[in-house]
Amino acid sequence: MEASATSKLLVSDIASFVDYVPSNYVRPISDRPNLSEIETSGDSIPMIDLQEIHGPNRADVIHQLALACASYGFFQIKNHGVPEKTIERMMTVTREFFRQPESERLKHYSADTKKTTRLSTSFNVGSEKVSNWRDFLRLHCLPIEDFINEWPSTPVSFREVTAEYATSVRALVLVLLEAISESLGLAKYSVSNTLGKHGQHMALNYYPPCPQPDLTFGLPGHKDPNLITVLLQDEVSGLQVFNDGKWITVHPVPNTFIVNMGDQMQVISNDKYKSVLHRAVVNGDKERISIPTFYCPSLDAVVGPQQELISEEEESPAVYRSFTYAEYYEKFWDTALATESCIDLFKASKT
């Protein structure tokens, strides 16, 4: 069975064949999920209610955001303005996409990380040593009209539903960026104005049931290279976040998003806000779907610490040099999650 199963390109097509994890998915013993030792989030992950973000209690919401960004680097949000129906339709069309026959899905397959619409598996099949138990469809979606015609045309509602979702999440991100900018003591549009023309990508992640979930990851521990990530997950747990020296499972709460800071926010805030280490574990008997939206600078944007947050006198010199996002993004795919983050490669040189 091994030959026919592992000759498949996608893990979802391998998973239906095997009752063990093929050897190229098995992590070294020192780098396994250790599922018995994981803490559950309980109340430890801030839940921020955005209901008042445009009301008289805006300052309170901004204060909560400042605390969450500085102490955790991630938080949950409710009353976020993305319609429940939009979320439901996005989740349904994603499930339908991955349930299509193999031949239909493979029309979009590519291992080229520079392609703006592509179905692939694991993380970067060209450069990694151990595979991850995940298939994903990655889409660029800003501006939508530049990319929508290369998105899958099946299921038939895919483009319409995904465009509606991407537009709605972008509006939410812009609201969050204004508030986060203010929480750093900056003008409302400061962060947004550093992003050039802005970029927005989505991944539709599919994690099939795994016969030996303690041997492999859906995605190993990593930090996001972008600015801010807004994650939608189905009802199956899998996301774990590293906080205070331990991994915490973040259980899904209906109609909420999980938001995490990415590397560019750490750079722009000059280390006030930290990009957060997180990973995905897989499930023995259930498939899991997660849909992160990655908001980022456009490739030609020059990123560096905000001038107002740098002060030689107050012992807060620039921690990072300036760079184009294109330079950063390329480095991220090349390191193939071999290091948890590539941010250290962009530190300002000590004179």
Side-chain angles (χ1 to χ4, degrees):
M1 197 60 92
E2 175 101 359
S4 57
T6 50
S7 60
K8 299 280 185 188
L9 282 171
L10 301 172
V11 70
S12 42
D13 299 312
I14 294 171
S16 49
F17 267 107
V18 296
D19 53 9
Y20 59 90
V21 169
S23 57
N24 56 311
Y25 289 91
V26 176
R27 292 259 148 201
I29 289 173
S30 61
D31 181 28
R32 288 183 187 172
N34 214 349
L35 299 172
S36 59
E37 287 181 12
I38 305 301
E39 306 229 348
T40 299
S41 56
D43 302 324
S44 64
I45 294 180
M47 173 74 79
I48 298 177
D49 188 341
L50 295 184
Q51 186 87 53
E52 294 284 329
I53 199 155
H54 296 303
N57 293 335
R58 180 175 173 84
D60 181 46
V61 179
I62 286 174
H63 179 64
Q64 289 177 51
L65 281 169
L67 283 177
C69 292
S71 314
Y72 295 89
F74 62 96
F75 49 90
Q76 302 170 87
I77 49 172
K78 62 182 182 181
N79 294 319
H80 42 64
V82 178
E84 206 172 313
K85 201 89 203 118
T86 303
I87 289 174
E88 226 168 81
R89 291 174 69 199
M90 188 66 228
M91 201 44 95
T92 301
V93 87
T94 301
R95 213 172 287 284
E96 286 171 355
F97 175 84
F98 284 106
R99 286 189 177 158
Q100 294 180 116
E102 182 182 20
S103 56
E104 191 56 50
R105 283 174 284 131
L106 284 175
K107 287 178 183 170
H108 306 282
Y109 185 85
S110 173
D112 176 2
T113 59
K114 293 207 165 46
K115 276 194 77 138
T116 49
T117 300
R118 66 191 186 99
L119 176 74
S120 197
T121 191
S122 190
F123 176 73
N124 184 353
V125 287
S127 58
E128 65 201 1
K129 296 192 169 53
V130 184
S131 300
N132 303 297
W133 203 261
R134 165 185 91 131
D135 292 335
F136 63 93
L137 178 67
R138 203 171 168 104
L139 309 169
H140 284 225
C141 32
L142 189 68
I144 283 175
E145 58 276 12
D146 285 8
F147 300 107
I148 192 167
N149 292 325
E150 58 186 51
W151 292 356
S153 52
T154 62
V156 287
S157 62
F158 186 89
R159 291 178 179 177
E160 180 204 340
V161 168
T162 305
E164 183 193 329
Y165 178 81
T167 303
S168 208
V169 171
R170 178 174 190 234
L172 165 63
V173 168
L174 294 176
V175 167
L176 283 171
L177 289 184
E178 289 178 12
I180 288 170
S181 197
E182 287 181 40
S183 78
L184 284 163
L186 302 168
K188 183 170 173 172
Y189 298 112
S190 282
V191 172
S192 187
N193 287 344
T194 60
L195 308 179
K197 294 188 287 296
H198 293 216
Q200 181 182 350
H201 309 166
M202 280 169 70
L204 281 47
N205 290 324
Y206 179 75
Y207 302 99
C210 176
Q212 297 168 293
D214 51 338
L215 297 184
T216 190
F217 283 113
L219 273 178
H222 66 284
K223 297 179 180 183
D224 290 347
N226 49 290
L227 179 76
I228 188 172
T229 302
V230 176
L231 178 75
L232 173 64
Q233 33 178 6
D234 68 6
E235 65 289 346
V236 179
S237 295
L239 174 67
Q240 297 182 343
V241 177
F242 197 67
N243 187 249
D244 263 353
K246 52 187 183 291
W247 288 101
I248 300 171
T249 296
V250 185
H251 290 301
V253 179
N255 290 310
T256 64
F257 290 108
I258 289 164
V259 179
N260 69 266
M261 302 298 106
D263 292 348
Q264 307 312 306
M265 190 70 83
Q266 184 166 332
V267 170
I268 287 170
S269 72
N270 205 33
D271 266 359
K272 281 192 166 55
Y273 293 168
K274 295 290 202 295
S275 187
V276 68
L277 191 59
H278 55 287
R279 67 187 189 183
V281 296
V282 286
N283 194 288
D285 40 35
K286 294 183 183 140
E287 65 181 18
R288 173 174 177 257
I289 287 173
S290 75
I291 305 173
T293 293
F294 304 108
Y295 208 81
C296 48
S298 50
L299 290 173
D300 58 356
V302 176
V303 182
Q306 283 281 350
Q307 214 49 51
E308 300 94 311
L309 302 176
I310 300 168
S311 159
E312 299 298 338
E313 297 78 66
E314 291 172 30
E315 309 276 294
S316 50
V319 182
Y320 303 96
R321 66 177 176 84
S322 295
F323 49 84
T324 63
Y325 187 56
E327 186 187 350
Y328 199 96
Y329 197 60
E330 192 164 337
K331 192 71 84 205
F332 171 75
W333 285 98
D334 286 351
T335 53
L337 303 191
T339 54
E340 290 161 347
S341 166
C342 52
I343 201 166
D344 292 343
L345 304 169
F346 293 86
K347 290 217 150 141
S349 54
K350 301 276 181 282
T351 44

